[in-house]
Amino acid sequence: MYKINVFTAKLSLSWVQQLEKIKPVFCDFQYHPYTDFEHLNSLLTQHLVAGDGALFSGQIPYFFAQKYFSNIAIPMLYFDISERDFYRVLTELFYDNKIAMNRIAIDFCYEENDYLGIHEWSIGKQPYLFSQTMNEFASHDIVDKAANWHIQLHRNKKIDLSFTRIAELRERLAQQNIPFIAFHPSLHALQLTLDQLVNQLQLRQLEQNKVVVVHILIPIDKSNIDELEYRQIALYKAILDFKQLYASTFIVHREASYIAIITTYQQFLITTNDYSHCQLVDFLDEKLPFPVKIGWGIGNSLTESQEFAKKASTLCSSKETQGYIIDHAKEIGPLLYGALLQFDNDKQQHLKKLSAAHDIPLLQLQKMEAVMERLATTIVNGELLSSHLGITVRSANRILKQLYEKNLAIELPSVTSTTRGRPKKYYQLQLY
């Protein structure tokens, strides 16, 4: 059963509730009529995240939700006038009245709906259009703007009739004795939008139910069998504790040299906070006295997900508990204890360009990016980089020198230690 929240202007509730006539048996509609933006904000805060999807009576509440609740990743659609609705009314109007198209003002024809074909139909006698783009409806004062536009056109005697899609304009136009026709989507248009939303919900459900595999390795000298056995038992118990507390959909398989977990994509999103922070990394880092490597694999099949998970685990450091994700060959990480990974597709594309331009492995740049995020600074030295990437100080210094030579880092003045030894060399990374 899909729970669909329907947010509508109170004045539009009567026609929106026609949805009950076409409601599928697997959908439950919850109606939330609002009176103003403050009321709408309250309703969205209370109900939006609790639904599987959302429908809006028009562009105004839809844009409000997109602007202030963009972090809620559920399908959202709004009802709009179809060409069929529009021309049915026009045909009736012109049949009964003699009125020219260039004496009409319309507030719901714009580029995004191809102006409902009005330009091709009314050659030489174009109506007045409120906006060329639907983005105009994203402003807080849209109702006042549209009302003033209609009223001013009538006062200047430029038009004889207004077409409006905005429910709040009915009373205002009537008070000014302005002739108008209030449009709203027909049952046919409601059906088209509902079918589109149901399709998105079903696709999303398939996506969330696809198989994700976790591969967990223990970095250890396998010649020490007793230590390996102890760590395997401790790890297995910790994972079962995590499953009981946070992840009921985990299926845990204990193997001789690793532990595998099978779960759903939906559980993966919850556990990794949408690719940005791994609860499992935090939990195992706190519970275990030794580090583990956690690889998440997301593919098109169970076998592909297993392969990606195994590869992802090999990307992790052996010095601290880390996690890596491979999602259809896209590598994301490292996921570190207490750190939030800001996975930004634009940022990843930038790193790919740097990798190609400077002949530096992409994964190396991604790791440097993750270290900067964790440390909240662009200034590092070999020892610092070594501890966070699980590599030797010599390897870390080699990487920093390479970035310096490629003009991706600046060498800072060396800092002399109070103890014996060579001065520490610091670099300021400049990946952006």
Side-chain angles (χ1 to χ4, degrees):
M1 179 71 73
Y2 295 124
K3 180 182 177 182
I4 301 174
N5 288 302
V6 185
F7 300 91
T8 172
K10 194 171 183 180
L11 294 170
S12 299
L13 180 61
S14 58
W15 65 260
V16 170
Q17 286 183 321
Q18 291 185 73
L19 282 169
E20 295 298 321
K21 298 178 181 179
I22 55 175
K23 180 174 72 173
V25 294
F26 50 83
C27 289
D28 176 37
F29 295 134
Q30 299 290 323
Y31 297 93
H32 307 289
Y34 67 90
T35 54
D36 52 39
F37 281 123
E38 186 176 349
H39 189 200
L40 174 60
N41 184 70
S42 175
L43 292 173
L44 289 169
T45 301
Q46 185 177 356
H47 301 289
L48 188 58
V49 72
D52 297 304
L55 290 169
F56 298 86
S57 58
Q59 305 96 314
I60 295 175
Y62 170 80
F63 270 114
F64 187 92
Q66 290 292 309
K67 182 175 182 179
Y68 295 104
F69 296 85
S70 58
N71 60 318
I72 299 180
I74 63 171
M76 301 184 199
L77 293 175
Y78 64 90
F79 297 118
D80 204 357
I81 303 295
S82 67
E83 286 194 31
R84 172 176 169 172
D85 299 338
F86 185 54
Y87 289 106
R88 177 180 56 80
V89 174
L90 281 181
T91 301
E92 294 174 356
L93 176 67
F94 293 149
Y95 182 80
D96 296 329
N97 304 275
K98 291 183 179 180
I99 187 168
M101 283 299 297
N102 60 349
R103 300 290 296 175
I104 296 175
I106 307 174
D107 63 24
F108 52 84
C109 289
Y110 27 72
E111 183 179 354
E112 287 81 358
N113 63 8
D114 198 26
Y115 303 98
L116 295 176
I118 199 71
H119 292 321
E120 291 77 14
W121 191 82
S122 57
I123 297 174
K125 292 186 177 181
Q126 300 291 332
Y128 288 87
L129 302 182
F130 173 65
S131 174
Q132 297 298 312
T133 174
M134 194 174 66
N135 292 331
E136 188 74 29
F137 288 81
S139 61
H140 262 75
D141 57 350
I142 176 61
V143 175
D144 292 333
K145 283 182 178 179
N148 293 334
W149 178 74
H150 282 285
I151 292 169
Q152 198 61 45
L153 285 173
H154 276 275
R155 285 179 177 172
N156 293 338
K157 301 187 183 302
K158 292 183 177 181
I159 61 172
D160 302 315
L161 182 65
S162 283
F163 288 177
T164 184
R165 172 75 174 81
I166 305 172
E168 293 86 348
L169 257 58
R170 300 176 198 170
E171 186 176 351
R172 296 197 190 190
L173 297 179
Q175 289 174 348
Q176 298 290 328
N177 295 317
I178 292 175
F180 69 91
I181 296 177
F183 282 71
H184 64 73
S186 65
L187 191 61
H188 174 261
L190 296 184
Q191 181 73 66
L192 293 176
T193 303
L194 179 59
D195 290 346
Q196 186 180 353
L197 181 70
V198 168
N199 184 51
Q200 289 185 15
L201 289 172
Q202 290 173 338
L203 289 174
R204 187 167 182 258
Q205 187 176 41
L206 289 174
E207 177 80 3
Q208 290 178 337
N209 288 336
K210 69 181 180 182
V211 175
V212 175
V213 175
V214 191
H215 193 83
I216 306 178
L217 288 174
I218 300 173
I220 191 172
D221 181 3
K222 293 183 180 180
S223 62
N224 189 342
I225 301 300
D226 292 338
E227 179 68 11
L228 176 61
E229 185 176 3
Y230 159 72
R231 292 190 175 188
Q232 284 283 4
I233 293 172
L235 173 59
Y236 183 65
K237 181 181 182 304
I239 292 173
L240 292 181
D241 289 342
F242 182 85
K243 175 184 177 181
Q244 186 174 8
L245 287 172
Y246 305 111
S248 59
T249 57
F250 271 18
I251 299 174
V252 183
H253 292 279
R254 182 180 173 188
E255 303 292 341
S257 58
Y258 66 91
I259 288 180
I261 297 171
I262 299 176
T263 188
T264 65
Y265 185 70
Q266 184 176 24
Q267 182 65 60
F268 160 78
L269 291 177
I270 294 171
T271 307
T272 63
N273 192 24
D274 293 338
Y275 292 81
S276 65
H277 177 78
C278 186
Q279 291 179 336
L280 187 58
V281 166
D282 282 1
F283 188 85
L284 296 182
D285 188 89
E286 291 179 351
K287 293 292 183 180
L288 301 175
F290 51 87
V292 293
K293 301 180 177 183
I294 303 171
W296 295 86
I298 306 163
N300 294 318
S301 65
L302 175 60
T303 301
E304 191 174 47
S305 294
Q306 288 173 328
E307 292 175 357
F308 287 158
K310 289 179 181 178
K311 182 180 177 181
S313 65
T314 64
L315 300 177
C316 300
S317 164
S318 60
K319 293 187 176 182
E320 63 178 342
T321 295
Q322 287 187 3
Y324 261 90
I325 302 165
I326 296 184
D327 182 351
H328 296 87
K330 179 173 63 180
E331 297 172 353
I332 304 169
L335 299 166
L336 306 167
Y337 173 79
L340 185 66
L341 179 66
Q342 299 290 342
F343 184 78
D344 183 321
N345 191 56
D346 291 338
K347 186 179 288 186
Q348 295 303 311
Q349 292 302 320
H350 173 73
L351 294 179
K352 284 183 180 180
K353 290 179 181 178
L354 283 184
S355 172
H358 298 281
D359 192 26
I360 298 175
L362 174 61
L363 182 59
Q364 182 173 301
L365 294 177
Q366 289 173 328
K367 287 185 176 184
M368 302 298 286
E369 165 67 26
V371 170
M372 289 192 296
E373 289 282 353
R374 185 175 189 182
L375 297 175
T377 181
T378 58
I379 298 176
V380 294
N381 65 7
E383 292 180 356
L384 200 58
L385 198 61
S386 166
S387 64
H388 285 281
L389 294 185
I391 58 179
T392 64
V393 175
R394 178 176 293 181
S395 295
N397 282 325
R398 189 183 308 118
I399 290 172
L400 289 172
K401 185 178 180 181
Q402 181 188 29
L403 293 174
Y404 168 71
E405 292 172 347
K406 301 282 187 178
N407 295 319
L408 295 177
I410 298 174
E411 186 176 340
L412 301 178
S414 300
V415 177
T416 304
S417 173
T418 55
T419 59
R420 288 185 176 183
R422 299 173 63 183
K424 291 184 178 180
K425 186 176 293 185
Y426 283 84
Y427 293 86
Q428 183 169 24
L429 303 178
Q430 291 191 316
L431 301 185
Y432 301 96

